Amino acid sequence: MSLAIRAEGLVKHYGETKALDGVDLEVPVGKVVGVLGPNGAGKTTAVRVLATLLRPDAGHATVGGHDVVKDPVRVRSLIGLTGQYASVDEDLSGTENLVLIARLLDHSRAGARARAAELLEQFELTEAAGRPARTYSGGMRRRLDLAASLVGNPAVLYLDEPTTGLDPHARNEVWRVVRKLVADGATVLLTTQYLEEADQLADTITVFDHGRVVAEGRADELKRRVGGQTLQVRPTSLADLDAVQRILGDLTGMRPTRDDDTGLLTAAVSDPVLLSTLVRKLDEAGITADELALRLPSLDEVFLALTGRKAEEGSLV
Amino acid sequence: MSAVALDKGLQHGLSLAWRGILKIRKNPEQLADVTIAPIVFLVMFTYLFGGALASSTDDYLQMLVPGIMVMNILQASMTAGVQLNTDVSKGVFDRFRSMPIARSAPLVGAVLADVVRYLMCVVVLLVVATIMGYRVQTGPVELVIAIALVLAFGLCFCWASVFVGMLLKTPGAVQGMMFVLIMPLTFGSNVFVGTSTMPGWLRAWADISPVSLLADALRGLLNGGPVAGPLAGSVVWMVAAVAVFFPLATLAYRKRV
């Protein structure tokens, strides 16, 4: 498996703060790796190092086999950068922005115009092509950002929080575009605060916290790592809550968590067969339930467990 | 090979200058910002104080216009720092820096676009002055030399603006700081009044200030009179400005971006 990006032991300090504290990262060619983490986890710093915008204090990284510190110009010829910090010029129109970038990438005048028109078409911005970028909606802006980063047909694409601050509709637009790129075989390093985004777009997810990698794997592997499955029961009558709690406790051998407001009982289970046993026992006791479910923990729970306080209480990692 | 070839670097600089010129066309009010203050001063001083300060408003206008050209160019040169600072804070620079172009290209582009801005400012000012009754007393050759001299002055002093632009955090702060620097520099000179009535310490400065010397050189070129002395003084100042601020600006630029 050939690697598009390989980073080893990246460290970056800002005064006292360790933005990166020994990060290893590998992105295989043709894959999408999602870097997931809360604000300040070091995601953007990692992207800036890999995009040659920042020198790491320690560690090294290569993109397409070229060292980001020793050979930044080679690296820059391979990458496209989109995101929070790399922006288009708001005064210029969509066409002008793309033509400028194409000219900077040594396209001829005519070639630059053609490339701009092609990308505007591809990103459904043809109608807005002549308008200043500042008049674009949030979703259109991000699509233009994306188009700008693709002018030079980069081998590796960095998407730094591509949908932060967008409404759900605009976010879906961006996702659709990214999915298409991925289907065409793009290699992508994606950073995001949204689990759903990583889940939707990435082949593998790397979870950052305080400048360190705290977990890695496919979305379903991460979900499994947090624990088995969860059994949830909500009896129709609140009066049955005690009885159901007892039954659930006997079955799982653990004390279920109980929410008196919603009447919901939750217990972790290791064996999915318990669900049918529970149904039978409730039936024998003559208790009906409004809600009865067996599910994997949500990625939000995974996220909290991996990066938040829950992890420190010892649930895993 | 880690550097970008020189001819490519120049071509990238030209592309970015094209961007700067597009921006002037899109935001003509930016040009107005730096031209309006000098024109306001030109009109105000000529009609309010001209009669009192010189024998007539016409005489005063002849003396004032070359000085106002210097004020105008200083105002216009502060845009470079504001613009670069805006690019850095908006992330436009990160896009450029993530591309395989010479690191200096954005700086070269900004400065080249500035020459066009300076030229437009000077032309607007001369048109307004002509309408008010100002007349070049010499010839077209002297006029061209005078304009070239003013542009060169702007190009030398714009490095101070680039330096401040890279040092301060926000475009607004850059604008404010440049204003604070430029105003006393303009008024503490012979642009508006002769230096003979100033207190000794101020006169000592005003007689050798770059603004006074360039204003005198321009008066000589446009109205007739001695040129060599003030021109030599202006050139010394220009060389000094580049010698001090160019290294400071590029250093701050490299640190910032």
Side-chain angles (χ1 to χ4, degrees), chain A residues 107-173:
Chain A
H107 287 247
S108 68
R109 231 171 269 265
R113 295 226 147 256
R115 183 74 181 129
E118 184 189 345
L119 282 164
L120 288 163
E121 172 86 41
Q122 187 186 337
F123 288 89
E124 293 166 30
L125 289 166
T126 306
E127 265 175 57
R131 270 169 33 204
R134 77 152 60 83
T135 67
Y136 285 20
S137 69
M140 289 163 74
R141 259 297 293 274
R142 300 295 167 95
R143 273 168 17 224
L144 183 60
D145 276 340
L146 260 172
S149 63
L150 291 170
V151 171
N153 291 311
V156 183
L157 187 60
Y158 300 122
L159 302 178
D160 188 20
E161 304 204 7
T163 63
T164 297
L166 292 186
D167 62 48
H169 174 72
R171 192 191 59 188
N172 285 332
E173 281 176 36

Side-chain angles (χ1 to χ4, degrees), chain B residues 187-256:
Chain B
F187 279 91
S189 74
N190 66 17
V191 166
F192 298 102
V193 289
T195 56
S196 56
T197 59
M198 294 177 183
W201 58 271
L202 182 57
R203 184 177 175 180
W205 162 250
D207 280 340
I208 57 153
S209 110
V211 177
S212 300
L213 290 171
L214 181 66
D216 272 343
L218 294 176
R219 285 178 189 126
L221 280 165
L222 297 175
N223 302 345
V227 174
L231 179 63
S234 308
V235 171
V236 169
W237 270 112
M238 283 154 66
V239 171
V242 172
V244 172
F245 288 113
F246 181 76
L248 282 176
T250 43
L251 201 73
Y253 174 76
R254 283 180 176 276
K255 254 188 119 171
R256 179 78 175 255

Side-chain angles (χ1 to χ4, degrees), chain A residues 48 53 71 73 76-77 81 85-91 96 100-101 103-106 145 148-149, chain B residues 1-2 8 11-12 15-16 18-19 22-23 26-27 90-92 94-101:
Chain A
R48 290 175 64 86
L53 298 180
D71 206 356
V73 177
R76 286 172 199 154
S77 68
L81 177 62
Y85 296 105
S87 172
V88 295
D89 187 329
E90 294 185 329
D91 287 337
E96 287 161 350
L100 172 64
I101 288 166
R103 291 288 286 156
L104 291 174
L105 292 170
D106 302 326
D145 276 340
S149 63
Chain B
M1 189 214 82
S2 174
K8 282 274 174 61
Q11 195 210 308
H12 297 154
S15 295
L16 288 163
W18 170 73
R19 161 178 178 255
L22 271 180
K23 283 168 83 84
K26 310 238 161 180
N27 294 317
K90 289 220 165 160
V92 177
D94 274 356
R95 163 89 68 207
F96 296 149
R97 285 186 54 225
S98 71
M99 295 170 64
I101 60 175

Side-chain angles (χ1 to χ4, degrees), chain B residues 90-229:
Chain B
K90 289 220 165 160
V92 177
F93 255 61
D94 274 356
R95 163 89 68 207
F96 296 149
R97 285 186 54 225
S98 71
M99 295 170 64
I101 60 175
R103 203 169 184 189
S104 60
L107 213 50
V108 173
V111 171
L112 287 180
D114 250 22
V115 179
V116 176
R117 185 180 296 115
Y118 299 162
L119 189 61
M120 290 165 88
C121 284
V122 168
V123 168
V124 169
L125 182 72
L126 283 174
V127 168
V128 173
T130 306
I131 293 169
M132 287 172 66
Y134 178 75
R135 294 293 175 266
V136 176
Q137 307 294 320
T138 51
V141 177
E142 285 84 352
L143 177 63
V144 170
I145 294 173
I147 291 177
L149 184 61
V150 167
L151 297 192
F153 187 83
L155 274 180
C156 294
F157 277 84
C158 79
W159 297 105
S161 151
V162 171
F163 175 53
V164 172
M166 291 295 102
L167 222 53
L168 299 185
K169 284 223 159 58
T170 65
V174 178
Q175 182 120 32
M177 172 64 110
M178 290 312 293
F179 197 74
V180 164
L181 291 177
I182 285 172
M183 272 302 151
L185 206 56
T186 311
F187 279 91
S189 74
N190 66 17
V191 166
F192 298 102
V193 289
T195 56
S196 56
T197 59
M198 294 177 183
W201 58 271
L202 182 57
R203 184 177 175 180
W205 162 250
D207 280 340
I208 57 153
S209 110
V211 177
S212 300
L213 290 171
L214 181 66
D216 272 343
L218 294 176
R219 285 178 189 126
L221 280 165
L222 297 175
N223 302 345
V227 174

